[in-house]
Amino acid sequence: MPTAKQQHIVVVGAGAFGGWTALFLRRQRGDARVTLVDAWGPGNSRASSGGETRVIRATYGPRAIYTRMAARALALWKEHQTRWHRQLYHGIGVLWLVENDDQYEKAALPILRDAHITFEELQGTELARRFPQINCEQVRWAIVEKDGGYLTARRACAAVLEGFLAEGGEYRQLAAQAPIEPRGGELSSITLSDGSRLTADRFVFACGPWLGALFPDVVGERVRATRQEVFFFGTPSGDRRFTEEALPVWADHGTRFMYGIPGNEWRGFKVADDSRGPLFDPTNGERTPSAAALQIARDYVAYRFPGLKGAPLLESRVCQYEQSPDEHFIIDRHPAAQNAWLVGGGSGHGFKHGPAVGELVAGLVLSGAAGAPDEQFRLSRFAH
Ligand SMILES: Cc1cc2nc3c(=O)[nH]c(=O)nc-3n(C[C@H](O)[C@H](O)[C@H](O)COP(=O)(O)OP(=O)(O)OC[C@H]3O[C@@H](n4cnc5c(N)ncnc54)[C@H](O)[C@@H]3O)c2cc1C
């Protein structure tokens, strides 16, 4: 009897979305050949998944789909760090500071309960007592997510690649040439930067901020790269108040959405502004931090963490969000190729979901014609 031809699945992009997708494809379909391709490597310095750390939290206002995905992702992060014998997740908790407008946090509470997320609500006075290093002026109440915390970013991407290779996956460091325009209802091959063609039965494109350039007609401006700046300040020597033993990750939903990670694997006290910056070129953009963004971070730190007023800047990073118009992910088939899937639009919150997205996308890809993504992730939502 002739044996069935071995299926070949290609995943382009080894960031948080593509790496985990490749791993789950290989694991769920052990008889298939899975090739992961990346232009510059997993968690490279241009990628949105680059840098040291990312927050993992389940509070998502009214957007229940992400709370549920964060809960699933958390279980998978824990499972994989045990499986791979390395720490990827630091469960130091996430503290949400709530000022006057508390619609977002209020909407999240029943959803957190439904998803069995362990959390605590704190009133302003109790908060000030527990965290004397925070200026709690204007803060009315807070949520403490006990299982939240932070993840190592580029190191996790490298660990996922290692895990994928150990489970029999193949990796090639080459770029897929743009634009990709399927013909006849299917995509049969892509051209790589060395001039070769890569043929496969199914494709997944998880190209972060580059997704629009690869598919200008179908994605185009629906994924826009915005410039984001992150600063790492030095804490006084021997001062434990600003380490991860004394302080959780914090998310400050005041007039500006500021957040940060204490300790941060000894990189310093990380402070970031979640406001969307100007458009940014992820390939050629210069990653020099701006004086204006640094001043915002300094002023914020001086106000919210008075013990760090005037703290020296140790490091900084310029990266980009790959922003979709509604901040929902894009997980859908290419409208002109039933065997090609587009995955992206992490919009500043994708990293934590990597394993859950990977598991979900692998299931969709492998279920063939039956695979139907949630409405909220579909490209058709942009037509309305
Ligand atoms: C400063 C900052 C802070 C953030 N904070 C958080 C946070 O705290 N928590 C959180 O959950 N999320 C956070 N995010 C968002 C999160 O990091 C991203 O949503 C997520 O990492 C996106 O992953 P991705 O795989 O879609 O994209 P990427 O990581 O960009 O991966 C895409 C990959 O595709 C490759 N590629 C692109 N084009 C090609 C091509 N033509 N051929 C081959 N390879 C190609 C690239 O080299 C890249 O490795 C943050 C993002 C930034 C920038």
Side-chain angles (χ1 to χ4, degrees), residues 23-73:
L23 178 75
F24 279 107
L25 281 166
R26 176 71 201 149
R27 194 175 290 162
Q28 289 177 15
R29 188 69 197 269
D31 59 344
R33 181 179 161 212
V34 181
T35 306
L36 177 61
V37 178
D38 197 288
W40 295 290
N44 68 79
S45 291
R46 284 181 171 106
S48 294
S49 306
E52 302 297 319
T53 52
R54 292 291 185 278
V55 178
I56 179 161
R57 43 101 181 183
T59 298
Y60 260 98
R63 293 190 157 185
I65 196 165
Y66 296 105
T67 299
R68 289 197 296 270
M69 270 176 64
R72 177 63 188 147

Side-chain angles (χ1 to χ4, degrees), residues 21-289:
T21 299
L23 178 75
F24 279 107
L25 281 166
R26 176 71 201 149
R27 194 175 290 162
Q28 289 177 15
R29 188 69 197 269
D31 59 344
R33 181 179 161 212
V34 181
T35 306
L36 177 61
V37 178
D38 197 288
W40 295 290
N44 68 79
S45 291
R46 284 181 171 106
S48 294
S49 306
E52 302 297 319
T53 52
R54 292 291 185 278
V55 178
I56 179 161
R57 43 101 181 183
T59 298
Y60 260 98
R63 293 190 157 185
I65 196 165
Y66 296 105
T67 299
R68 289 197 296 270
M69 270 176 64
R72 177 63 188 147
L74 178 67
L76 290 169
W77 281 109
K78 287 180 178 172
E79 178 194 322
H80 282 82
Q81 69 171 5
T82 305
R83 189 192 277 251
W84 293 331
H85 306 290
R86 65 181 75 185
Q87 188 173 13
L88 305 173
Y89 156 72
H90 296 243
I92 65 171
V94 174
L95 174 66
W96 288 81
L97 303 172
V98 186
E99 293 193 349
N100 285 327
D101 180 1
D102 62 0
Q103 282 180 44
Y104 184 89
E105 288 78 8
K106 275 264 157 64
L109 295 176
I111 299 170
L112 290 171
R113 278 186 207 106
D114 270 6
H116 305 292
I117 302 291
T118 321
F119 72 95
E120 192 185 350
E121 285 170 71
L122 286 184
Q123 294 314 308
T125 42
E126 171 60 7
L127 182 71
R129 194 191 60 74
R130 237 196 259 182
F131 299 107
Q133 65 279 60
I134 301 179
N135 168 14
C136 293
E137 212 178 292
Q138 313 284 345
V139 179
R140 292 199 295 125
W141 62 285
I143 298 174
V144 187
E145 283 187 43
K146 305 274 195 195
D147 279 340
Y150 74 90
L151 303 159
T152 61
R154 69 185 166 77
R155 283 207 287 116
C157 294
V160 172
L161 174 63
E162 238 178 81
F164 168 69
L165 293 174
E167 293 189 35
E170 295 169 32
Y171 173 69
R172 299 183 68 186
Q173 195 154 316
L174 287 166
Q177 299 301 88
I180 293 169
E181 290 163 335
R183 306 226 183 277
E186 275 216 344
L187 182 65
S188 54
S189 65
I190 54 173
T191 305
L192 298 176
S193 42
D194 64 354
S196 65
R197 287 194 79 74
L198 189 57
T199 305
D201 302 286
R202 301 170 207 209
F203 292 85
V204 177
F205 295 91
C207 299
W210 294 271
L211 198 61
L214 274 181
F215 299 96
D217 298 337
V218 172
V219 178
E221 300 261 294
R222 281 148 186 176
V223 173
R224 292 151 73 97
T226 62
R227 182 188 158 94
Q228 307 300 141
E229 302 190 26
V230 181
F231 299 99
F232 301 81
F233 293 100
T235 57
S237 68
D239 188 337
R240 308 192 78 76
R241 292 175 299 163
F242 303 105
T243 65
E244 56 189 73
E245 294 147 40
L247 199 60
V249 167
W250 40 270
D252 194 345
H253 225 171
T255 33
R256 246 174 210 283
F257 185 8
M258 303 292 290
Y259 69 94
I261 303 177
N264 198 45
E265 289 210 321
W266 307 288
R267 313 309 299 179
F269 193 82
K270 176 175 175 175
V271 180
D273 183 349
D274 191 54
S275 319
R276 275 44 179 173
L279 291 182
F280 186 71
D281 174 351
T283 305
N284 297 310
E286 286 266 296
R287 294 171 189 263
T288 313

